[in-house]
Amino acid sequence: MKAPRSSRSQLVSMKPDLEPRYEDVLLVVSELMSNSVRHSESAEIDLKVEAQDGQIRIEVSDDGPGFTHETPRGEGMGLTIVEKLSERWGLVSGVRFTVWAELTKGV
């Protein structure tokens, strides 16, 4: 599973903009990317990370079937970790399915 590791390494250049939450962002990116790789069966997964106005927004999009908040979760801890680290997270269905999370830059 190369995608999560590769995604995290691409964030190194953004580290100053993501501090002091850099490690949290790495973990959220890793969990969301891993879930997408494992469950979406998508050929292409997109990652978007933005830091502005004291907020960090992470989005992972794929062309998989998606899920809802009511969908039973498996044994994994991925979304539970995202919930604990983020102030808000959600799902957007459309042409591509997107899971997003927002973190404040303060600790």
Side-chain angles (χ1 to χ4, degrees):
M1 187 176 307
K2 185 178 176 186
R5 188 177 316 120
S6 174
S7 300
R8 289 189 310 262
S9 68
Q10 293 178 25
L11 294 174
V12 171
S13 64
M14 290 185 71
K15 187 173 182 176
D17 296 326
L18 301 175
E19 290 292 1
R21 300 295 301 272
Y22 181 70
E23 295 297 324
D24 293 340
V25 170
L26 290 181
L27 189 51
V28 170
V29 165
S30 179
E31 293 300 330
L32 293 181
M33 290 295 291
S34 293
N35 282 351
S36 188
V37 168
R38 221 177 273 127
H39 302 293
S40 74
E41 300 177 8
S42 293
E44 183 177 307
I45 300 169
D46 296 318
L47 169 66
K48 182 178 176 182
V49 178
E50 294 179 319
Q52 61 183 2
D53 301 326
Q55 292 289 115
I56 300 166
R57 184 173 176 97
I58 302 161
E59 296 181 2
V60 173
S61 301
D62 59 52
D63 57 359
F67 61 96
T68 67
H69 285 285
E70 292 79 31
T71 303
R73 295 188 190 170
E75 302 282 324
M77 294 294 295
L79 289 177
T80 301
I81 291 170
V82 171
E83 287 173 345
K84 297 291 184 192
L85 292 175
S86 65
E87 281 66 49
R88 298 185 323 152
W89 76 279
L91 315 167
V92 179
S93 295
V95 176
R96 294 181 65 75
F97 181 75
T98 302
V99 180
W100 59 269
E102 289 183 352
L103 294 77
T104 57
K105 284 185 71 171
V107 271

XYZ file of all heavy atoms in Angstrom:
832
model
N 0.848 -1.173 0.000
C 0.000 0.000 0.000
C 0.895 1.239 0.000
O 1.285 1.755 1.023
C -0.903 -0.019 1.228
C -1.932 1.061 1.218
S -3.073 0.998 2.609
C -3.677 -0.657 2.533
N 1.234 1.693 -1.166
C 2.171 2.790 -1.322
C 1.506 4.168 -1.221
O 2.117 5.126 -0.801
C 2.857 2.645 -2.680
C 3.939 3.646 -2.942
C 4.587 3.388 -4.271
C 5.607 4.455 -4.572
N 6.164 4.327 -5.897
N 0.248 4.289 -1.580
C -0.429 5.593 -1.658
C -0.374 6.409 -0.366
O -0.011 7.583 -0.410
C -1.866 5.418 -2.126
N -0.730 5.859 0.804
C -0.673 6.682 2.016
C 0.724 7.188 2.332
O 0.912 8.346 2.695
C -1.189 5.748 3.109
C -2.071 4.796 2.383
C -1.378 4.585 1.054
N 1.726 6.337 2.179
C 3.104 6.744 2.461
C 3.538 7.852 1.503
O 4.127 8.845 1.905
C 4.036 5.535 2.341
C 5.443 5.819 2.812
C 6.351 4.595 2.760
N 5.715 3.402 3.269
C 5.515 2.285 2.549
N 5.895 2.227 1.302
N 4.936 1.236 3.075
N 3.219 7.707 0.235
C 3.564 8.701 -0.771
C 2.858 10.025 -0.494
O 3.448 11.096 -0.619
C 3.176 8.180 -2.155
O 3.379 9.159 -3.130
N 1.603 9.960 -0.089
C 0.837 11.175 0.220
C 1.447 11.931 1.382
O 1.544 13.154 1.357
C -0.610 10.813 0.551
O -1.203 10.175 -0.529
N 1.839 11.193 2.426
C 2.445 11.844 3.591
C 3.744 12.541 3.212
O 3.997 13.659 3.661
C 2.686 10.821 4.701
C 1.425 10.338 5.365
C 1.733 9.507 6.593
N 2.690 8.462 6.358
C 2.388 7.187 6.120
N 1.137 6.802 6.087
N 3.331 6.295 5.917
N 4.561 11.909 2.382
C 5.844 12.505 2.017
C 5.659 13.789 1.208
O 6.496 14.683 1.271
C 6.713 11.500 1.254
O 6.159 11.213 -0.004
N 4.566 13.899 0.486
C 4.310 15.113 -0.295
C 3.933 16.298 0.588
O 3.963 17.437 0.151
C 3.215 14.851 -1.329
C 3.664 13.875 -2.402
C 2.571 13.578 -3.399
O 1.666 14.366 -3.595
N 2.670 12.440 -4.046
N 3.595 16.037 1.851
C 3.213 17.111 2.769
C 4.402 17.776 3.452
O 4.239 18.790 4.126
C 2.249 16.584 3.828
C 0.886 16.148 3.304
C 0.077 15.505 4.415
C 0.141 17.323 2.703
N 5.585 17.227 3.280
C 6.771 17.782 3.950
C 6.946 19.256 3.607
O 7.241 20.071 4.488
C 8.035 16.966 3.583
C 9.293 17.652 4.082
C 7.920 15.562 4.136
N 6.718 19.629 2.352
C 6.897 21.032 1.962
C 5.867 21.953 2.618
O 6.088 23.155 2.733
C 6.824 21.173 0.441
O 5.536 20.818 -0.032
N 4.751 21.406 3.086
C 3.711 22.203 3.741
C 3.876 22.255 5.257
O 3.092 22.909 5.943
C 2.321 21.621 3.435
C 1.859 21.790 2.029
S 0.145 21.193 1.855
C -0.746 22.482 2.747
N 4.885 21.592 5.784
C 5.028 21.464 7.234
C 4.928 22.796 7.978
O 4.201 22.888 8.968
C 6.322 20.738 7.587
C 6.442 20.435 9.059
C 7.645 19.572 9.372
C 7.666 19.259 10.861
N 8.751 18.353 11.216
N 5.610 23.866 7.529
C 5.496 25.137 8.267
C 4.055 25.658 8.327
O 3.652 26.245 9.331
C 6.393 26.095 7.477
C 7.353 25.207 6.754
C 6.586 23.949 6.445
N 3.281 25.434 7.280
C 1.887 25.903 7.244
C 0.964 25.041 8.096
O -0.134 25.478 8.448
C 1.358 25.902 5.810
C 2.103 26.863 4.916
O 2.521 27.931 5.413
O 2.272 26.556 3.728
N 1.378 23.825 8.403
C 0.528 22.881 9.130
C 0.864 22.784 10.615
O 0.118 22.180 11.380
C 0.628 21.491 8.494
C 0.220 21.409 7.021
C 0.488 20.016 6.479
C -1.226 21.812 6.821
N 1.987 23.351 11.032
C 2.361 23.317 12.440
C 1.374 24.135 13.265
O 0.871 25.133 12.772
C 3.781 23.856 12.646
C 4.867 22.958 12.115
C 5.025 21.643 12.867
O 4.271 21.372 13.828
O 5.893 20.872 12.485
N 1.072 23.757 14.476
C 1.612 22.651 15.252
C 0.856 21.339 15.054
O 1.058 20.391 15.801
C 1.465 23.136 16.692
C 0.208 23.947 16.662
C 0.192 24.610 15.301
N 0.010 21.254 14.032
C -0.828 20.067 13.828
C -0.279 19.132 12.759
O -0.978 18.231 12.298
C -2.249 20.493 13.432
C -3.000 21.347 14.434
C -3.309 20.672 15.746
N -4.110 19.475 15.673
C -5.444 19.429 15.689
N -6.140 20.536 15.770
N -6.070 18.274 15.644
N 0.973 19.320 12.359
C 1.549 18.531 11.271
C 1.395 17.023 11.482
O 0.944 16.307 10.592
C 3.030 18.905 11.097
C 3.718 18.161 9.983
C 3.415 18.427 8.652
C 4.682 17.190 10.258
C 4.052 17.754 7.630
C 5.314 16.510 9.236
C 5.000 16.794 7.924
O 5.620 16.117 6.905
N 1.745 16.517 12.647
C 1.656 15.076 12.908
C 0.202 14.590 12.844
O -0.076 13.499 12.355
C 2.284 14.721 14.266
C 3.776 14.964 14.334
C 4.580 14.101 13.371
O 4.192 12.930 13.153
O 5.590 14.596 12.845
N -0.735 15.412 13.343
C -2.153 15.062 13.258
C -2.604 14.996 11.805
O -3.349 14.092 11.408
C -3.015 16.078 14.010
C -2.788 16.043 15.510
O -2.272 15.022 16.024
O -3.131 17.040 16.175
N -2.158 15.968 10.998
C -2.508 15.971 9.575
C -1.966 14.714 8.895
O -2.675 14.070 8.112
C -1.986 17.248 8.876
C -2.133 17.147 7.363
C -2.714 18.478 9.399
N -0.733 14.349 9.207
C -0.161 13.132 8.616
C -1.009 11.907 8.953
O -1.264 11.058 8.094
C 1.271 12.911 9.113
C 2.339 13.874 8.632
C 3.691 13.475 9.208
C 2.402 13.933 7.128
N -1.454 11.826 10.180
C -2.258 10.682 10.604
C -3.621 10.673 9.911
O -4.073 9.634 9.429
C -2.424 10.687 12.121
C -3.045 9.455 12.751
C -2.363 8.162 12.301
C -2.997 9.563 14.265
N -4.279 11.833 9.821
C -5.573 11.903 9.144
C -5.422 11.552 7.665
O -6.209 10.769 7.122
C -6.220 13.303 9.326
C -7.435 13.463 8.417
C -6.608 13.526 10.776
N -4.416 12.107 7.014
C -4.173 11.788 5.600
C -3.943 10.285 5.434
O -4.519 9.648 4.558
C -2.975 12.587 5.041
C -2.487 12.018 3.717
C -3.360 14.053 4.886
N -3.120 9.715 6.288
C -2.823 8.292 6.211
C -4.090 7.451 6.360
O -4.329 6.508 5.591
C -1.807 7.913 7.287
O -1.532 6.542 7.232
N -4.920 7.786 7.348
C -6.148 7.013 7.587
C -7.132 7.141 6.432
O -7.708 6.153 5.980
C -6.795 7.437 8.904
C -5.981 7.092 10.126
C -5.726 5.604 10.283
O -6.551 4.786 9.844
O -4.680 5.253 10.853
N -7.347 8.378 5.949
C -8.298 8.569 4.856
C -7.811 7.925 3.563
O -8.601 7.308 2.829
C -8.585 10.056 4.644
C -9.329 10.762 5.776
C -9.560 12.235 5.427
C -10.644 10.070 6.094
N -6.519 8.069 3.266
C -5.980 7.446 2.059
C -6.031 5.920 2.161
O -6.403 5.236 1.202
C -4.547 7.908 1.808
C -4.428 9.354 1.379
S -5.166 9.703 -0.217
C -4.036 8.837 -1.301
N -5.677 5.377 3.318
C -5.722 3.920 3.509
C -7.134 3.388 3.312
O -7.333 2.364 2.659
C -5.226 3.537 4.905
O -3.865 3.823 5.040
N -8.125 4.088 3.879
C -9.517 3.664 3.709
C -9.920 3.679 2.246
O -10.587 2.763 1.759
C -10.462 4.573 4.509
C -10.471 4.248 5.977
O -9.914 3.253 6.418
N -11.103 5.108 6.749
N -9.517 4.723 1.541
C -9.867 4.833 0.132
C -9.217 3.721 -0.688
O -9.864 3.079 -1.515
C -9.460 6.206 -0.406
O -9.944 6.385 -1.703
N -7.945 3.467 -0.436
C -7.237 2.397 -1.151
C -7.882 1.047 -0.853
O -8.124 0.241 -1.754
C -5.735 2.377 -0.760
C -5.056 1.104 -1.245
C -5.024 3.604 -1.316
N -8.199 0.806 0.394
C -8.730 -0.480 0.834
C -10.160 -0.740 0.369
O -10.513 -1.857 0.028
C -8.677 -0.535 2.365
C -8.241 -1.868 2.898
C -8.120 -1.859 4.419
N -6.789 -1.412 4.808
C -6.542 -0.428 5.653
N -7.498 0.235 6.236
N -5.301 -0.106 5.947
N -11.001 0.303 0.377
C -12.429 0.075 0.202
C -13.045 0.605 -1.091
O -14.125 0.169 -1.469
C -13.203 0.675 1.380
C -12.777 0.129 2.700
N -12.981 -1.184 3.071
C -12.130 0.718 3.744
C -12.495 -1.385 4.276
N -11.968 -0.248 4.711
N -12.414 1.549 -1.762
C -13.079 2.193 -2.898
C -12.916 1.443 -4.219
O -13.722 1.619 -5.113
C -12.565 3.617 -3.086
O -11.255 3.609 -3.635
N -11.855 0.667 -4.351
C -11.541 -0.006 -5.615
C -11.355 0.997 -6.753
O -11.599 0.705 -7.910
C -12.604 -1.035 -5.961
C -12.754 -2.115 -4.904
C -13.852 -3.112 -5.199
O -14.428 -3.084 -6.307
O -14.146 -3.921 -4.305
N -10.933 2.215 -6.432
C -10.724 3.264 -7.416
C -9.356 3.136 -8.065
O -8.383 2.762 -7.415
C -10.801 4.651 -6.760
O -12.086 4.915 -6.315
N -9.306 3.496 -9.322
C -8.033 3.536 -10.029
C -7.281 4.825 -9.699
O -6.061 4.886 -9.802
C -8.263 3.443 -11.536
N -8.014 5.855 -9.300
C -7.408 7.153 -9.012
C -8.003 7.726 -7.729
O -9.215 7.765 -7.550
C -7.682 8.119 -10.164
C -7.044 9.465 -10.008
C -7.305 10.338 -11.223
O -7.020 9.897 -12.342
O -7.804 11.461 -11.029
N -7.128 8.179 -6.834
C -7.530 8.791 -5.575
C -6.862 10.159 -5.506
O -5.663 10.281 -5.753
C -7.099 7.925 -4.368
C -7.749 6.540 -4.455
C -7.454 8.614 -3.060
C -7.191 5.533 -3.490
N -7.653 11.179 -5.192
C -7.126 12.541 -5.122
C -7.043 13.005 -3.673
O -7.957 12.767 -2.886
C -8.028 13.511 -5.893
C -8.066 13.196 -7.373
O -7.012 12.903 -7.941
O -9.167 13.249 -7.953
N -5.953 13.691 -3.345
C -5.742 14.258 -2.014
C -5.590 15.763 -2.149
O -4.862 16.255 -3.013
C -4.475 13.683 -1.377
C -3.978 14.358 -0.107
C -4.970 14.171 1.036
C -2.598 13.838 0.271
N -6.289 16.500 -1.291
C -6.180 17.960 -1.270
C -6.017 18.386 0.187
O -6.804 17.984 1.045
C -7.449 18.568 -1.863
C -7.455 20.063 -1.937
C -8.754 20.516 -2.603
C -8.869 22.012 -2.634
N -10.145 22.425 -3.246
N -4.977 19.176 0.459
C -4.742 19.708 1.802
C -4.547 21.215 1.664
O -3.698 21.669 0.896
C -3.497 19.077 2.467
C -3.251 19.683 3.835
C -3.652 17.566 2.563
N -5.365 21.969 2.408
C -5.275 23.425 2.389
C -5.156 23.947 3.817
O -5.827 23.438 4.712
C -6.526 24.045 1.769
C -6.717 23.751 0.306
C -7.998 24.377 -0.231
O -9.027 24.334 0.487
O -7.963 24.900 -1.347
N -4.315 24.960 3.999
C -4.178 25.610 5.300
C -4.376 27.101 5.092
O -3.620 27.737 4.357
C -2.800 25.332 5.882
N -5.433 27.646 5.728
C -5.673 29.090 5.651
C -6.605 29.524 6.772
O -7.432 28.749 7.244
C -6.245 29.487 4.292
C -7.567 28.857 3.950
C -8.029 29.247 2.542
O -7.346 29.960 1.825
N -9.186 28.772 2.158
N -6.440 30.743 7.193
C -7.294 31.338 8.229
C -7.395 30.486 9.490
O -8.476 30.323 10.062
C -8.698 31.617 7.676
C -8.683 32.563 6.487
O -7.819 33.465 6.460
O -9.533 32.405 5.605
N -6.287 29.878 9.909
C -6.273 29.086 11.134
C -6.927 27.721 11.010
O -7.087 27.020 12.005
N -7.313 27.329 9.802
C -7.955 26.038 9.567
C -7.115 25.204 8.604
O -6.443 25.737 7.726
C -9.339 26.213 8.937
C -10.368 26.848 9.839
C -10.801 25.904 10.949
O -10.546 26.198 12.101
N -11.428 24.815 10.605
N -7.181 23.909 8.775
C -6.559 22.964 7.846
C -7.681 22.065 7.345
O -8.420 21.481 8.133
C -5.480 22.113 8.540
C -4.385 23.009 9.113
C -4.908 21.078 7.559
C -3.462 22.303 10.097
N -7.836 21.984 6.033
C -8.867 21.132 5.440
C -8.189 20.054 4.611
O -7.332 20.340 3.781
C -9.826 21.934 4.580
C -10.962 21.071 4.022
C -11.989 21.925 3.313
N -13.014 21.117 2.699
C -14.196 20.845 3.232
N -14.492 21.310 4.422
N -15.077 20.115 2.594
N -8.604 18.816 4.860
C -8.071 17.647 4.162
C -9.233 16.998 3.429
O -10.286 16.759 4.015
C -7.468 16.642 5.162
C -6.360 17.308 5.982
C -6.959 15.395 4.442
C -6.024 16.583 7.263
N -9.050 16.719 2.133
C -10.072 16.046 1.342
C -9.444 14.880 0.593
O -8.383 15.030 -0.016
C -10.697 16.986 0.308
C -11.449 18.141 0.889
C -12.068 19.038 -0.177
O -11.943 18.732 -1.388
O -12.674 20.048 0.198
N -10.101 13.735 0.632
C -9.685 12.571 -0.152
C -10.888 12.176 -0.996
O -11.976 11.923 -0.474
C -9.226 11.406 0.745
C -8.956 10.166 -0.082
C -7.972 11.798 1.528
N -10.693 12.164 -2.324
C -11.769 11.852 -3.259
C -11.399 10.639 -4.106
O -10.240 10.450 -4.471
C -12.026 13.029 -4.200
O -12.363 14.188 -3.484
N -12.426 9.841 -4.413
C -12.233 8.690 -5.294
C -13.529 8.438 -6.053
O -14.534 9.101 -5.816
C -11.788 7.445 -4.499
C -12.777 7.040 -3.432
O -13.984 6.884 -3.741
O -12.361 6.860 -2.271
N -13.504 7.497 -6.971
C -14.714 7.196 -7.737
C -15.370 5.902 -7.264
O -16.061 5.224 -8.011
C -14.443 7.160 -9.240
C -13.377 6.163 -9.633
O -12.810 5.497 -8.752
O -13.106 6.040 -10.841
N -15.176 5.593 -5.996
C -15.784 4.407 -5.396
C -17.238 4.636 -5.030
O -17.783 5.730 -5.207
N -17.885 3.622 -4.468
C -19.305 3.694 -4.164
C -19.652 4.577 -2.968
O -20.793 4.992 -2.810
C -19.676 2.238 -3.861
C -18.402 1.630 -3.362
C -17.310 2.317 -4.137
N -18.688 4.890 -2.126
C -18.946 5.736 -0.973
C -19.660 4.995 0.146
O -19.858 3.783 0.088
N -20.023 5.749 1.162
C -20.725 5.195 2.313
C -21.464 6.342 2.985
O -21.367 7.491 2.553
C -19.754 4.506 3.281
C -18.702 5.423 3.847
C -18.878 6.017 5.083
C -17.530 5.681 3.145
C -17.913 6.868 5.608
C -16.563 6.527 3.669
C -16.755 7.123 4.903
N -22.231 6.051 4.014
C -22.946 7.087 4.755
C -22.495 7.043 6.207
O -21.818 6.101 6.626
C -24.480 6.864 4.710
O -24.777 5.673 5.438
C -24.978 6.764 3.284
N -22.894 8.040 6.972
C -22.586 8.039 8.403
C -23.247 6.848 9.093
O -22.785 6.388 10.124
C -23.047 9.347 9.066
C -22.169 10.514 8.761
N -20.931 10.687 9.335
C -22.331 11.569 7.931
C -20.379 11.785 8.882
N -21.207 12.347 8.029
N -24.329 6.358 8.512
C -25.061 5.244 9.104
C -24.508 3.878 8.694
O -24.874 2.864 9.262
C -26.543 5.306 8.718
C -27.279 6.481 9.338
C -27.011 7.800 8.607
O -26.790 7.779 7.374
O -27.000 8.844 9.280
N -23.641 3.847 7.673
C -23.067 2.583 7.221
C -22.297 1.928 8.360
O -21.464 2.581 8.993
C -22.108 2.813 6.028
O -22.826 3.459 4.983
C -21.529 1.507 5.518
N -22.571 0.657 8.655
C -21.805 -0.010 9.721
C -20.316 0.008 9.402
O -19.918 -0.202 8.256
C -22.345 -1.440 9.710
C -23.645 -1.368 8.993
C -23.549 -0.215 8.037
N -19.526 0.291 10.397
C -18.076 0.316 10.222
C -17.501 -1.053 10.529
O -18.048 -1.803 11.325
C -17.450 1.346 11.154
C -17.893 2.732 10.805
C -17.113 3.727 11.606
N -17.734 5.038 11.427
C -17.410 6.080 12.136
N -16.499 5.990 13.060
N -17.998 7.223 11.923
N -16.374 -1.321 9.912
C -15.685 -2.575 10.181
C -14.934 -2.503 11.497
O -15.223 -1.690 12.372
N -13.940 -3.327 11.605
C -13.139 -3.424 12.821
C -12.088 -2.317 12.921
O -11.517 -2.101 13.979
C -12.425 -4.788 12.856
C -13.368 -5.969 12.804
C -14.008 -6.231 14.142
O -13.331 -6.054 15.161
O -15.189 -6.605 14.158
N -11.812 -1.617 11.811
C -10.727 -0.644 11.780
C -10.984 0.589 12.619
O -12.104 0.877 13.034
N -9.921 1.327 12.864
C -9.974 2.530 13.687
C -9.889 3.808 12.855
O -9.901 4.899 13.411
C -8.823 2.517 14.696
C -8.914 1.412 15.727
S -10.324 1.623 16.808
C -9.885 3.145 17.640
N -9.792 3.704 11.518
C -9.538 4.856 10.656
C -10.418 6.058 10.912
O -9.934 7.142 11.238
N -11.729 5.913 10.754
C -12.618 7.061 10.920
C -12.740 7.496 12.379
O -12.963 8.668 12.656
C -13.995 6.775 10.316
C -14.012 6.739 8.793
C -15.398 6.380 8.283
C -13.536 8.052 8.193
N -12.554 6.582 13.295
C -12.559 6.960 14.712
C -11.384 7.889 15.001
O -11.534 8.889 15.715
C -12.495 5.711 15.615
O -13.624 4.890 15.311
C -12.497 6.076 17.078
N -10.231 7.587 14.435
C -9.054 8.449 14.594
C -9.324 9.812 13.967
O -9.029 10.852 14.555
C -7.805 7.784 13.990
C -7.410 6.584 14.848
C -6.657 8.778 13.846
C -6.347 5.701 14.245
N -9.908 9.814 12.768
C -10.237 11.080 12.099
C -11.193 11.894 12.963
O -11.017 13.102 13.139
C -10.827 10.816 10.698
C -11.384 12.096 10.078
C -9.776 10.192 9.783
N -12.200 11.251 13.528
C -13.159 11.947 14.396
C -12.473 12.566 15.613
O -12.793 13.679 16.017
C -14.244 10.979 14.876
C -15.223 10.595 13.802
C -16.182 9.502 14.236
O -15.923 8.823 15.265
O -17.186 9.310 13.541
N -11.551 11.842 16.220
C -10.878 12.327 17.426
C -9.933 13.488 17.139
O -9.761 14.374 17.972
C -10.091 11.188 18.102
C -10.950 10.059 18.586
C -11.805 10.454 19.749
C -12.575 9.252 20.259
N -13.618 9.600 21.195
N -9.300 13.488 15.973
C -8.312 14.516 15.652
C -8.919 15.757 15.006
O -8.325 16.823 15.043
C -7.227 13.951 14.724
C -6.304 12.916 15.348
C -5.361 12.351 14.297
C -5.516 13.520 16.495
N -10.086 15.622 14.398
C -10.661 16.747 13.676
C -11.789 17.401 14.465
O -12.413 16.772 15.312
C -11.175 16.298 12.306
O -12.249 15.395 12.445
N -11.987 18.660 14.158
C -13.104 19.374 14.773
C -14.398 19.067 14.018
O -15.470 19.056 14.585
C -12.853 20.882 14.775
C -11.912 21.365 15.863
C -10.477 20.874 15.710
O -9.905 20.993 14.611
O -9.930 20.348 16.704
N -14.269 18.855 12.704
C -15.425 18.503 11.871
C -14.950 17.575 10.762
O -13.830 17.681 10.291
C -16.034 19.750 11.220
C -16.570 20.748 12.197
C -17.273 21.914 11.538
N -16.651 22.365 10.296
C -17.312 22.954 9.308
N -18.600 23.169 9.393
N -16.685 23.355 8.229
N -15.824 16.666 10.349
C -15.531 15.836 9.188
C -16.857 15.485 8.532
O -17.917 15.589 9.146
C -14.711 14.591 9.541
C -15.481 13.493 10.211
C -15.810 13.419 11.531
C -16.036 12.327 9.595
N -16.525 12.276 11.776
C -16.679 11.582 10.605
C -16.047 11.841 8.294
C -17.329 10.386 10.350
C -16.688 10.640 8.042
C -17.315 9.925 9.059
N -16.786 15.094 7.273
C -18.022 14.778 6.586
C -17.792 14.058 5.277
O -16.667 13.719 4.910
N -18.903 13.844 4.587
C -18.922 13.088 3.340
C -19.642 13.914 2.284
O -20.630 14.576 2.574
C -19.679 11.772 3.529
C -19.360 10.964 4.785
C -20.398 9.870 4.977
C -17.980 10.366 4.661
N -19.154 13.833 1.042
C -19.815 14.496 -0.074
C -19.925 13.483 -1.202
O -18.909 12.931 -1.648
C -19.022 15.729 -0.571
C -19.724 16.374 -1.747
C -18.809 16.729 0.550
N -21.155 13.208 -1.631
C -21.365 12.307 -2.766
C -21.602 13.142 -4.012
O -22.157 14.223 -3.954
C -22.577 11.406 -2.519
O -22.328 10.554 -1.438
N -21.184 12.609 -5.120
C -21.361 13.276 -6.399
C -20.701 12.417 -7.451
O -20.719 11.189 -7.367
N -20.092 13.055 -8.429
C -19.357 12.306 -9.445
C -18.221 11.535 -8.781
O -17.947 10.393 -9.109
C -18.807 13.255 -10.535
C -17.953 12.495 -11.535
C -19.951 13.985 -11.221
N -17.583 12.179 -7.824
C -16.554 11.527 -7.016
C -17.007 11.575 -5.565
O -17.666 12.516 -5.144
C -15.205 12.218 -7.196
C -14.681 12.047 -8.628
C -13.341 12.703 -8.850
N -12.239 12.143 -8.094
C -11.617 10.995 -8.355
N -12.019 10.255 -9.357
N -10.606 10.593 -7.630
N -16.638 10.580 -4.802
C -16.990 10.520 -3.387
C -15.842 11.137 -2.596
O -14.678 10.797 -2.812
C -17.208 9.067 -2.963
C -17.608 8.934 -1.526
C -18.887 9.258 -1.124
C -16.697 8.496 -0.584
C -19.268 9.142 0.214
C -17.060 8.378 0.746
C -18.346 8.702 1.145
N -16.149 12.064 -1.699
C -15.119 12.776 -0.942
C -15.370 12.643 0.552
O -16.494 12.821 1.015
C -15.100 14.278 -1.310
O -14.877 14.405 -2.714
C -14.017 15.031 -0.549
N -14.307 12.329 1.282
C -14.320 12.385 2.737
C -13.420 13.556 3.110
O -12.305 13.672 2.598
C -13.789 11.079 3.376
C -13.813 11.186 4.891
C -14.593 9.880 2.917
N -13.909 14.448 3.963
C -13.123 15.614 4.350
C -13.036 15.717 5.870
O -13.864 15.170 6.587
C -13.715 16.895 3.770
C -15.133 17.175 4.185
C -16.269 16.777 3.536
C -15.566 17.885 5.350
N -17.371 17.215 4.226
C -16.974 17.888 5.341
C -14.893 18.517 6.395
C -17.715 18.509 6.347
C -15.629 19.124 7.398
C -17.030 19.130 7.358
N -12.008 16.423 6.304
C -11.821 16.683 7.742
C -11.209 18.066 7.884
O -10.398 18.486 7.070
C -10.899 15.640 8.353
N -11.639 18.769 8.928
C -11.073 20.078 9.236
C -10.465 20.065 10.633
O -11.056 19.529 11.568
C -12.149 21.168 9.165
C -12.592 21.457 7.752
C -13.599 22.577 7.665
O -14.093 23.044 8.714
O -13.907 22.980 6.534
N -9.280 20.634 10.742
C -8.575 20.760 12.005
C -8.243 22.229 12.201
O -7.953 22.926 11.227
C -7.259 19.978 11.988
C -7.308 18.463 11.888
C -7.604 17.997 10.502
C -6.013 17.879 12.368
N -8.292 22.713 13.428
C -7.803 24.062 13.690
C -6.284 23.985 13.845
O -5.755 22.962 14.263
C -8.434 24.659 14.964
O -8.156 23.798 16.054
C -9.923 24.835 14.810
N -5.610 25.064 13.492
C -4.159 25.051 13.585
C -3.654 25.094 15.013
O -2.575 24.633 15.313
C -3.562 26.212 12.779
C -3.586 25.923 11.293
C -2.895 26.986 10.498
C -1.413 26.933 10.717
N -0.663 27.797 9.835
N -4.439 25.612 15.933
C -4.034 25.609 17.336
C -4.209 24.223 17.927
O -4.955 23.414 17.411
N -3.476 23.944 18.996
C -3.593 22.628 19.619
C -4.700 22.530 20.612
O -5.292 23.313 21.123
C -2.287 22.175 20.309
C -1.429 21.453 19.327
C -1.545 23.328 20.915
